[in-house]
Amino acid sequence: MDGIHDLGGVQGFGKVPHTKNSLTYKPVFHEDWEHLAYSLLFLAADHMKQFSVDELRHAIERMDARHYFGSPYYDRIVIGTATLLVEQGVITQEELNACLGENFQLARAYSSPGRPALPERPPFEVGDRVKVRDEFVAGHIRMPAYVRGKEGKILHRTSVKWPFPDTIGHGDKSAQLQSTYHVEFNVRDLWGSAADDGTVVVDLFEGYLDEVT
Amino acid sequence: MSQDTKPQSSATPADRARALFKVLDDKKLIPDGFIGNFTKLMENDWDPSNGARVVAKAWVDPEFRELLLKDGTKACEQFGYTGPQGEYIVALENTPKLQNVIVCSLCSCTNWPVLGLPPEWYKSFEYRARLVREGRTVLRELGEELPDDVAVKVWDTTAETRYMVLPVRPEGTENMSEEELAKLVTKDVLIGVARPHVS
Ligand SMILES: [Fe+3]
């Protein structure tokens, strides 16, 4: 989906709030609740097998745009996890509200059932020129909008395959397994002269790509 | 006035996290020790000193360096650096003319076992929005002024590959031990927004 989470190249942001470089960046958590976010996520996704990390990503993308922008990082993880646990019927909105003492705002409902991958086809090879498919998808997708329709060059094909995000991100376990490709783009092919020089490499599932002929 | 203005919530992120915890705990869904064990992994085991050890070994051992660049997962496995978000590791080789930098524009993906959890700034809207488009400018703002003849290559972690940067071994480190070399490699160096410096 063309959501607010898809931030690559969006203008209107100032300096990165970089904290001083150090060997460890300890402490890892800055507030005493933050460890709960990933812990409860892994409890639900990994231990209880209630959903995949792809579904978690999409749940966070489904947050209302203002809600997303107003919530700090670990809060979004908590909200995404709570949303999926309610949707799976493990807990209820009422139970969350009762514990919180007010409405526990969750992500918005799905606006799409997701989609299957294209039929399998021969893999691309390192060095091939490829074009990112010019597609608009209402559900989950792991193609940042800034490469949509753009041409790049394949640097690497993964030796492992993963479930197609646009399918598994909606909880559909029939997702086709695909390799991903590290595709290199010239930054100025993406944003013209309103960008720095250099290249950007995007890790793209096979189903997002077409060969340039 | 506007139907999309939501009433202000008085609950904090901490309140929400604790509410979700309590609902699950009341249902006896949280095994004893689960939160504590996972928190220990995140706070102690996953640490940039792991990646620093990998880099230092690659600097002193050409055979290991070759393995790291060919199969990063296997090379990191030799140290026991595996687990969630470390299942498919690719090391990015810097040269005197190339600086690799890692970001996840869509969320926050990072190589946890090797780099540790990402720092706050890595997950910021600013970094996610700007790095892919203005890499050189962002690096300059973060204190790494690259000469014009050093190319910037940004790696957007949009799928399941988890990257680490293999920096160039700085000059003047010829007599350093592997342990001393590892101390030059910070989390920022492993992300690629800084280059190692000999103080
Ligand atoms: Fe991410």
Side-chain angles (χ1 to χ4, degrees), chain A residues 169-184:
Chain A
H170 294 256
D172 182 346
K173 294 184 180 60
S174 71
Q176 188 189 111
L177 297 179
Q178 290 193 347
S179 304
T180 71
Y181 296 83
H182 302 170
V183 185
E184 183 175 35

Side-chain angles (χ1 to χ4, degrees), chain A residues 57 73 142, chain B residues 104-110 122 157-159 162:
Chain A
R57 291 190 184 119
Y73 178 79
R142 291 293 285 180
Chain B
C104 176
S105 70
L106 296 172
C107 38
S108 63
C109 303
T110 316
Y122 180 94
T157 313
T158 50
R162 295 294 171 266

Side-chain angles (χ1 to χ4, degrees), chain A residues 190-208:
Chain A
L190 308 177
W191 294 288
S193 59
D196 285 357
D197 57 317
T199 62
V200 57
V201 183
V202 185
D203 194 2
L204 294 165
F205 276 79
E206 195 161 276
Y208 300 156

Side-chain angles (χ1 to χ4, degrees), chain A residues 49-113:
Chain A
K49 306 277 180 238
Q50 285 298 324
F51 52 82
S52 62
V53 174
D54 301 80
E55 286 164 270
L56 186 269
R57 291 190 184 119
H58 190 46
I60 293 171
E61 291 159 11
R62 289 190 281 125
M63 288 171 71
D64 183 90
R66 285 161 294 240
H67 193 198
Y68 182 100
F69 253 78
S71 308
Y73 178 79
Y74 285 121
D75 195 22
R76 299 199 295 274
I77 302 286
V78 167
I79 291 163
T81 302
T83 297
L84 289 164
L85 286 172
V86 168
E87 289 172 347
Q88 295 289 80
V90 176
I91 60 175
T92 66
Q93 173 87 65
E94 291 68 33
E95 288 164 345
L96 287 170
N97 295 354
C99 267
L100 191 62
E102 64 172 63
N103 181 51
F104 192 122
Q105 190 185 351
L106 299 173
R108 298 164 57 85
Y110 290 95
S111 58
S112 154

Side-chain angles (χ1 to χ4, degrees), chain B residues 5-23:
Chain B
T5 307
K6 294 232 160 56
Q8 201 62 36
S9 164
S10 61
T12 63
D15 297 334
R16 279 185 285 279
R18 294 201 180 98
L20 177 59
F21 172 85
K22 186 164 188 310
V23 169

Side-chain angles (χ1 to χ4, degrees), chain B residues 151-163:
Chain B
V152 177
K153 195 170 183 174
V154 172
W155 297 74
D156 195 350
T157 313
T158 50
E160 300 307 319
T161 308
R162 295 294 171 266
Y163 301 107

Side-chain angles (χ1 to χ4, degrees), chain B residues 20-41:
Chain B
L20 177 59
F21 172 85
K22 186 164 188 310
V23 169
L24 291 166
D25 199 43
D26 286 350
K27 290 178 186 286
K28 309 261 179 278
L29 290 170
I30 308 180
D32 280 347
F34 187 91
I35 305 267
N37 290 339
F38 200 75
T39 302
K40 185 192 156 292
L41 276 176

